[in-house]
Amino acid sequence: MTTATAGGADSVLPADKRPPERSGRPDPTGPRRSVTGTRKIIAMLFLLPALVLLGALVVYPIVYSVYRSFFDQAGTGFAGLDNYKALFTDDTIRTAVKNNAIWVVFAPTISTALGLIFAVLTERIRWGTAFKLIVFMPMAISMLAAGIIFRLVYDQAPERGVANAVWVGVHDTFAESAGYPKAHPLPVHPLKAGGGGSFVTKAPAQAGVPVRLPLVGVAPAKMPTDAKPAKAAPPESGKVTGTAWLDFTKGGGGKPNVVDAKELGLKGLKIEAVKNGKVVGSATAAADGTFTLPASAEGALLRLPASNFREPYNGVDWLGPSLVTPGIIGSYVWMWAGFAMVLIAAGLAGLPRELLEAARVDGANEWQVFRRITVPMLAPVLAVVLVTLMINVLKIFDLVFIIAPGSSQDDANVLALQLYRSSFGTDADLGIGSAIAVLLLLLVIPVMIFNIRRIRREGRR
């Protein structure tokens, strides 16, 4: 008699009535789904605080700004598209839009170009790392500090502004320096106005008779440091001599038309002898004010040309209406060229050197290697730098607000600054301010879309 085992008994049962096999593994349907759902819930719980902050600090302000831009200044009356029409009809806001366009075109381009040049050149110099550190150092400075620095750099007074000090120094190297602005004779002096800012003697000069040319009104700061006490010129036979001096004695005293001991000569003053409208002789006063004219000056009127009295050259008005925007863009480039240089240098370090060397072996010069190999291979990095700086300059505010003086702030106006001016203050118009904010958002969105698409393309490679 044979007995059936448990397995044998099961084997004789129909297939649809056999008990499920036990493999020791969990059922892949129910438990796994519950675990995945739990993980999603946990992830959402962790993301919830960030989503709440994102909604409160980003989404809600954007939605409310769009809503508020359709209402009037008080916020009670529906204005429709009037606020948006004002963006293109108000002269101040149109200037801000124009300046923003200038910023977007020039500031990122110049910064990226300089960063590329610095990154390429520093690869070949011994102190490249130190140079990169110096160029990148302005990035450690806040916009506020950089604005204050360049407000001083662009100061109109050469003794304070570095830019004008250099400019005036170069100008005075190749051009004559200023003379004695605001100097003039007194009514009792033997001089009178000659027209065009010049002065002439009241009587013709005579050989052997010294001529006196006294002036007043010279500020102490305008007197040459090497000027000497004035001295009466001795008479010379056949020549016209004389003295040009400051007819003023410190502390009082002295007599008009008399060379006193404490009075200084007007060094460098130009004197011309004029006959019948023609210059027949000229001279320049020495440190003690004395001068000598040739015999042809006898019987001529002595003239002090207007060039003696012109205002000194004070350089360029960097913060004036015409140059304030380029000046501020210069300060931005000073700060951000180092940022561009560091990113481009990182991309440059990753280039395959064998390609560059192969091009050089094939006869390409350095310019051809740079233009046809280095730049095309750095195109993704250059795009990152350029797009980042474009987004950055669209919201530029600090530098313009700090550097531009009140007299030319309207000429340097940008959208972010106009947004601040329209949204705050006693006569704030939140409708206009919200419309400017929406316009800035619309300007940034295309750049962001381009950047996102570029990042996705790079990720698929």
Side-chain angles (χ1 to χ4, degrees), residues 35-119:
V35 170
T36 304
T38 303
R39 288 177 178 176
K40 288 184 178 179
I41 293 173
I42 293 174
M44 292 298 296
L45 289 176
F46 276 104
L47 288 175
L48 185 61
L51 293 175
V52 171
L53 287 176
L54 185 66
L57 300 179
V58 178
V59 179
Y60 171 74
I62 291 176
V63 173
Y64 182 76
S65 295
V66 174
Y67 168 80
R68 184 65 178 83
S69 67
F70 292 104
F71 287 83
D72 58 9
Q73 182 175 4
T76 55
F78 184 74
L81 297 176
D82 291 346
N83 292 327
Y84 291 95
K85 292 179 181 177
L87 299 183
F88 303 98
T89 55
D90 184 86
D91 291 338
T92 303
I93 301 178
R94 283 197 304 177
T95 301
V97 174
K98 181 193 71 174
N99 287 338
N100 257 100
I102 295 173
W103 272 90
V104 170
V105 171
F106 289 101
T109 305
I110 297 173
S111 299
T112 305
L114 285 177
L116 176 61
I117 293 171
F118 291 156

Side-chain angles (χ1 to χ4, degrees), residues 6-19:
D10 292 341
S11 63
V12 299
L13 294 175
D16 58 342
K17 294 183 178 181
R18 293 177 186 175

Side-chain angles (χ1 to χ4, degrees), residues 22-37:
R22 297 177 181 178
S23 62
R25 298 178 181 177
D27 186 3
T29 56
R32 180 175 295 178
R33 289 178 181 174
S34 61
V35 170
T36 304

